[in-house]
Amino acid sequence: MNAVILLLVGLGTMALGYFVYSKFIAEKIYRLDPDYRTPAHEFEDGVDFVPTNKFVLWGHHFTSVAGAAPIVGPAIAVIWGWAPAFLWVVLGTVFFAGVHDAGAIWASVRNKARSVGSLTGDVVGKRARSIFMIVIFLVLLMVNAVFAVVIARLMMNFPTAVLPVWGAIIVALIIGQLIYRRIIGLGLVSVLGVVALYALILAGPSVPLQMPAEVAGMSGNAVWILLLFAYAAIASILPVWVLLQPRDYINGLQLFVGLIILYGAICVLNPTMVAPMFNDNVPAGTPSIIPLLFVTIACGAISGFHGLVSSGTTSKQLNRETDARFVGYFGAIGEGGLALAAILVATAGFASLADWEAMYSAFGQGGVTAFVEGGAYIIHHGLGLPEVTAATLLTVMAALFAGTTMDTGLRLQRYIFQEWGEIYNLEWMKKPLPATLLAVGSCILLAFGAGGADGSGGMIIWPLFGTTNQLLAGLTLLVITVMLVNLRRPMWYTLAPLCFLLVMTVTALVFQLRTFYEQGNWFLLFLDVVVLVAAILVAMECAASLKRHRTRVANEERG
């Protein structure tokens, strides 16, 4: 199969989804109102609640939800063949992710920008809220702890990426001032920001910055992790316009330039998919494609983490309610485009099937390495860019997206502690600084408590990220569905994805139980049981809540 054909089919389907399906969802189901006063205006404080240009907000939202997951998941899942991953990414983006992300923004905006976890108590019930808050905390803990490890390893393995990764923060701080103080127009700011970022990327190979193997008795990897958490803590407290918004915005533009380079190289090189369409010769120990495909690829098809961003930070910055379609649904399209690129370079970016099979010699292999090496191969042979520069470009892309997700993730974790302070009337926990310290402390405790001096403890519970994340997406869709029932609007557009996710999540958890038992991994077995019980309770809450609300609505219509 020719990679260019898949590229055109995938992007064409996603474009059709945005211009047709998202318009229907926005106008007929969510009924977005351009005159509705959003929380960004109602509670404007210049820190968290800030009315924001939809293009800038799209950049924040998109890069916050993207992270490394839409690269890692698809680049691992192609071990079953490129066709299943391609279909799930394209169809999942159009019918699942876009509806979920835009819906979470709408639901939060209509409820004073409260997080979807907090909303669950009012919409579904207090028991569901308790389950939801635990699941949210676990997902954020996994994301923040693991992405710190991913970025640290990238910088240890690719020292040419260190300068552009950290230099991007300085660029973002300058961009933030230019945008907020309206010194120059957004268009010129965008051009200057992208030029500065790519100048750093081009300079990276000439100025490699290698962290020593050991610093003050700690490994270089551990030092990077601590520095990343210190940065994320500061970023989570700063007003969103100072660093979070401009960093995410400029990274969003950088991704589009990166994708144009990747897609352009694919079109010029015109490579074939060396990987099989359906892989019958999977390595020993590879789990069944169903249901594991649907939890291995989360970001890029549908992800519960997106609901946290949509209702945690994005809804507080939405200028007009109708912007939710562009920011939420088109943000999902952007991530789907990144996942599509990951699939193509991880299956067509190798010289032969034997080379591809060597990369995918066991389940779980591939990921960022396959993306960087496969993408560098395509860019080098397609556009003639030096392979080290191409590898630096793709490494910086992965690291910057992981970093922006970590920024937002820690801010969201701070919100969770503050919401617990509200729920349990703990005044000290409602304040930003103590909540931030608790958020950072819990991540560091997991990283170094479970992982030892290397700080890679987050990787221990990472195998449960996919199932926990998809359970979270199901909970978000539940809240949206119940709201639609109460408003007497069609619910099938959210109920169908909800049911599909719950079935796949519960089945995947059962599969993983057997795997963890056979491995003797009692810690993950215990956590799996916890998440499985939560999934079953959520399914019961779903059925009970929907039945209760539909009965009430039916009685009101009769009476």
Side-chain angles (χ1 to χ4, degrees):
M1 171 64 74
N2 189 290
V4 175
I5 295 175
L6 283 182
L7 173 62
L8 295 176
V9 170
L11 292 181
T13 304
M14 291 181 195
L16 194 64
Y18 178 72
F19 288 112
V20 178
Y21 191 61
S22 78
K23 189 172 186 292
F24 166 76
I25 293 293
E27 294 180 355
K28 304 299 182 183
I29 307 302
Y30 298 145
R31 300 180 190 175
L32 303 180
D33 182 0
D35 297 322
Y36 183 79
R37 192 181 185 210
T38 64
H41 290 282
E42 185 178 357
F43 305 112
E44 184 174 358
D45 60 6
V47 178
D48 294 320
F49 292 86
V50 180
T52 304
N53 177 287
K54 71 176 182 179
F55 296 103
V56 175
L57 183 56
W58 173 87
H60 154 69
H61 177 83
F62 165 50
T63 54
S64 294
V65 301
I71 294 173
V72 176
I76 289 175
V78 292
I79 197 168
W80 290 298
W82 58 259
F86 174 81
L87 290 172
W88 174 227
V89 162
V90 173
L91 298 179
T93 295
V94 173
F95 297 107
F96 285 63
V99 175
H100 169 275
D101 294 11
I105 297 173
W106 165 73
S108 179
V109 164
R110 286 286 169 161
N111 289 275
K112 301 184 183 299
R114 292 165 61 195
S115 75
V116 71
S118 175
L119 275 179
T120 309
D122 295 339
V123 176
V124 182
K126 291 184 178 180
R127 285 179 301 182
R129 182 186 66 186
S130 299
I131 298 169
F132 209 157
M133 296 292 275
I134 292 171
V135 172
I136 289 172
F137 181 77
L138 282 174
V139 168
L140 290 174
L141 194 63
M142 292 178 192
V143 167
N144 293 332
V146 170
F147 278 15
V149 176
V150 169
I151 301 168
R153 288 180 179 176
L154 283 171
M155 289 191 290
M156 289 294 291
N157 295 333
F158 300 94
T160 58
V162 174
L163 176 66
V165 166
W166 288 96
I169 297 172
I170 299 173
V171 173
L173 288 169
I174 297 171
I175 293 297
Q177 294 295 322
L178 294 176
I179 293 175
Y180 185 75
R181 302 189 186 285
R182 299 179 182 177
I183 297 173
I184 55 178
L186 182 61
L188 183 56
V189 167
S190 303
V191 172
L192 292 175
V194 171
V195 169
L197 198 55
Y198 275 89
L200 289 169
I201 291 172
L202 291 173
S206 302
V207 193
L209 300 174
Q210 180 71 61
M211 177 72 73
E214 186 174 318
V215 179
M218 293 187 296
S219 68
N221 192 73
V223 173
W224 276 131
I225 290 173
L226 288 175
L227 288 174
L228 286 164
F229 276 125
Y231 156 74
I234 295 170
S236 71
I237 296 177
L238 289 174
V240 290
W241 65 266
V242 172
L243 180 58
L244 192 68
Q245 278 184 0
R247 175 170 157 83
D248 291 353
Y249 175 64
I250 210 67
N251 283 344
L253 295 178
Q254 181 261 148
L255 171 69
F256 262 90
V257 174
L259 284 179
I260 290 170
I261 292 172
L262 260 181
Y263 289 155
I266 290 172
C267 292
V268 172
L269 185 61
N270 197 24
T272 58
M273 311 290 284
V274 299
M277 185 174 182
F278 296 95
N279 190 13
D280 296 325
N281 187 32
V282 295
T286 301
S288 170
I289 185 173
I290 297 177
L292 267 298
L293 170 70
F294 303 102
V295 296
T296 302
I297 300 178
C299 296
I302 182 171
S303 166
F305 180 73
H306 293 201
L308 301 185
V309 176
S310 296
S311 64
T313 60
T314 304
S315 63
K316 294 178 175 64
Q317 302 168 59
L318 201 72
N319 186 39
R320 296 180 10 156
E321 190 177 63
T322 48
D323 291 348
R325 178 189 171 215
F326 179 79
V327 174
Y329 198 103
F330 192 62
I333 294 290
E335 187 177 63
L338 177 58
L340 176 60
I343 292 170
L344 295 178
V345 301
T347 52
F350 295 87
S352 67
L353 176 60
D355 291 334
W356 182 83
E357 289 178 336
M359 173 65 71
Y360 288 88
S361 58
F363 181 72
Q365 293 188 358
V368 173
T369 302
F371 174 76
V372 172
E373 292 186 5
Y377 175 90
I378 287 175
I379 292 173
H380 173 64
H381 289 86
L383 302 180
L385 200 66
E387 203 152 354
V388 64
T389 304
T392 300
L393 167 66
L394 296 175
T395 301
V396 170
M397 185 186 295
L400 287 181
F401 283 117
T404 52
T405 299
M406 188 178 168
D407 293 354
T408 303
L410 201 61
R411 185 178 286 260
L412 291 170
Q413 205 165 358
R414 185 247 291 179
Y415 290 161
I416 292 298
F417 278 108
Q418 288 181 290
E419 286 184 359
W420 273 333
E422 292 283 350
I423 293 170
Y424 299 109
N425 199 27
L426 300 172
E427 291 297 328
W428 64 273
M429 196 182 288
K430 298 178 186 179
K431 300 176 181 178
L433 183 58
T436 299
L437 292 175
L438 286 173
V440 174
S442 61
C443 292
I444 291 177
L445 183 63
L446 173 62
F448 290 92
D454 192 45
S456 59
M459 292 297 185
I460 294 175
I461 61 174
W462 185 249
L464 281 172
F465 171 76
T467 45
T468 309
N469 190 40
Q470 298 304 62
L471 174 60
L472 184 55
L475 281 164
T476 302
L477 287 169
L478 168 62
V479 171
I480 298 169
T481 302
V482 173
M483 284 183 63
L484 291 174
V485 170
N486 287 338
L487 293 169
R488 296 174 174 81
R489 298 178 191 171
M491 65 176 182
W492 297 107
Y493 303 95
T494 55
L495 182 61
L498 161 62
C499 294
F500 180 84
L501 282 177
L502 286 180
V503 169
M504 290 301 163
T505 299
V506 170
T507 308
L509 285 166
V510 172
F511 270 68
Q512 287 180 316
L513 271 180
R514 179 181 176 181
T515 301
F516 297 147
Y517 177 78
E518 291 174 348
Q519 294 173 346
N521 195 330
W522 309 118
F523 177 64
L524 282 183
L525 183 71
F526 168 75
L527 283 181
D528 194 307
V529 170
V530 171
V531 178
L532 179 59
V533 170
I536 293 172
L537 290 175
V538 166
M540 294 171 63
E541 288 289 339
C542 285
S545 178
L546 286 173
K547 182 179 179 180
R548 183 171 64 252
H549 286 281
R550 290 194 72 184
T551 300
R552 180 184 60 77
V553 169
N555 289 338
E556 288 176 356
E557 289 177 347
R558 285 196 298 265

